[in-house]
Amino acid sequence: MAISQQKTADHLKITRGRYVKYEDGSSEPPIEILIRIARFFGISIDLLLTVDIRKYPLDNIAVLPDNRMVLPIMVDGKGENKIEVITQKASMGYLNGYMDPGYIESLQTLSLPFLRNGKYRAFPAGGDSMPPFKDGTFIVGKYVEDLRDLKPGKTYILVTQDEGVTYKRMQELKGHSVKVSADNSFYEPYEIHFSGILEVWEYACAISTKEFDADEFSGQNVKEMFVDLKKDLKAIMKAAKK
């Protein structure tokens, strides 16, 4: 039995007018709404991207081969991938807004022609846990749908309930948790339970907005010496507590 546009919109938690624009193709739904549409109709997002479902009965689409679950690719007027940019200011509200279509649609976007076949988003780098990325660098990540696809040695942007947006290297996949670490050896590896992970984005590229100083890397050995001193101090303090 056919479902009215109003009932569909109500299920998707959007207005009917907004849903009509998505249905007739006059507006592109953001990632969060595509997920809801896919789950509501029982169709993989891959098929929503690659097949004009208006040309096929839903029953036929659901049984097409290679019915993988991936995220939608929104494109600009030139057909280039639209990558939402999470600025430092916007990142403060990302935990509350990452599932809010209005928040996502309000973000600035950019297009990188060499990034295709996936859903990408850019996040600001911060802190000293993942050298050589400096403050002001944007790390572009490709959305990971299944946590079982995480690969040891690869770096990922993790959106977690406890830490918010963080950038770490995958160490080990352990049952229902993942062990991650910073590239800065001063920080100890730790585990994150799957239940605390909201999103994962695999490193795709980095965009630096600040140039390196001429002597910045010449002092790398000195920096490593201080890192070693910090580690030694940390070990001494730990031993003193026993």
Side-chain angles (χ1 to χ4, degrees):
M1 183 177 67
I3 303 175
S4 70
Q5 291 178 332
Q6 185 61 61
K7 287 185 177 180
T8 302
D10 290 343
H11 182 88
L12 299 176
K13 298 179 180 179
I14 58 176
T15 65
R16 177 179 176 276
R18 186 173 179 180
Y19 175 73
V20 170
K21 291 182 179 180
Y22 297 154
E23 190 176 84
D24 64 20
S26 61
S27 179
E28 293 288 341
I31 174 176
E32 292 76 16
I33 296 299
L34 259 295
I35 293 175
R36 296 180 197 174
I37 293 174
R39 290 174 178 169
F40 180 66
F41 289 107
I43 304 171
S44 81
I45 302 181
D46 188 11
L47 292 174
L48 289 178
L49 292 174
T50 58
V51 177
D52 185 350
I53 62 174
R54 292 172 293 183
K55 298 180 180 179
Y56 303 92
L58 291 180
D59 291 340
N60 292 343
I61 292 177
V63 297
L64 289 177
D66 199 23
N67 195 13
R68 302 187 313 279
M69 194 72 173
V70 297
L71 286 185
I73 303 172
M74 295 176 61
V75 297
D76 59 19
K78 298 180 180 179
E80 296 295 344
N81 195 347
K82 291 177 65 176
I83 301 172
E84 296 97 358
V85 179
I86 314 300
T87 63
Q88 190 66 49
K89 182 178 180 180
S91 67
M92 304 300 290
Y94 190 76
L95 276 184
N96 295 324
Y98 78 101
M99 285 295 289
D100 179 5
Y103 169 83
I104 298 301
E105 290 180 339
S106 71
L107 296 173
Q108 297 178 348
T109 62
L110 60 85
S111 296
L112 298 174
F114 55 86
L115 292 182
R116 301 180 183 277
N117 302 320
K119 175 60 189 176
Y120 298 88
R121 191 165 285 171
F123 297 84
D128 61 351
S129 66
M130 295 296 286
F133 299 118
K134 305 174 60 175
D135 289 348
T137 298
F138 284 90
I139 300 175
V140 181
K142 181 179 181 181
Y143 188 84
V144 177
E145 175 69 28
D146 193 335
L147 293 177
R148 292 170 296 182
D149 292 334
L150 298 179
K151 301 177 180 62
K154 294 284 189 179
T155 55
Y156 298 90
I157 299 161
L158 302 167
V159 182
T160 68
Q161 294 175 343
D162 294 333
E163 294 185 280
V165 179
T166 183
Y167 180 55
K168 293 293 182 284
R169 189 173 299 276
M170 160 77 166
Q171 293 291 330
E172 184 181 0
L173 196 61
K174 304 175 63 177
H176 296 288
S177 66
V178 58
K179 185 177 182 180
V180 300
S181 66
D183 279 357
N184 187 336
S185 57
F186 176 70
Y187 299 95
E188 296 289 339
Y190 61 97
E191 292 186 22
I192 306 175
H193 195 276
F194 284 172
S195 61
I197 299 176
L198 305 176
E199 290 182 340
V200 178
W201 302 78
E202 182 178 357
Y203 174 85
C205 72
I207 304 172
S208 179
T209 61
K210 297 180 180 179
E211 62 181 342
F212 288 97
D213 297 329
D215 60 348
E216 193 154 355
F217 288 105
S218 63
Q220 191 67 25
N221 291 333
V222 176
K223 181 178 180 179
E224 291 174 357
M225 180 183 70
F226 278 107
V227 169
D228 290 337
L229 288 174
K230 284 184 178 180
K231 290 175 64 178
D232 292 340
L233 180 59
K234 189 174 183 179
I236 293 173
M237 294 176 65
K238 185 175 182 181
K241 292 180 180 179
K242 293 183 179 180

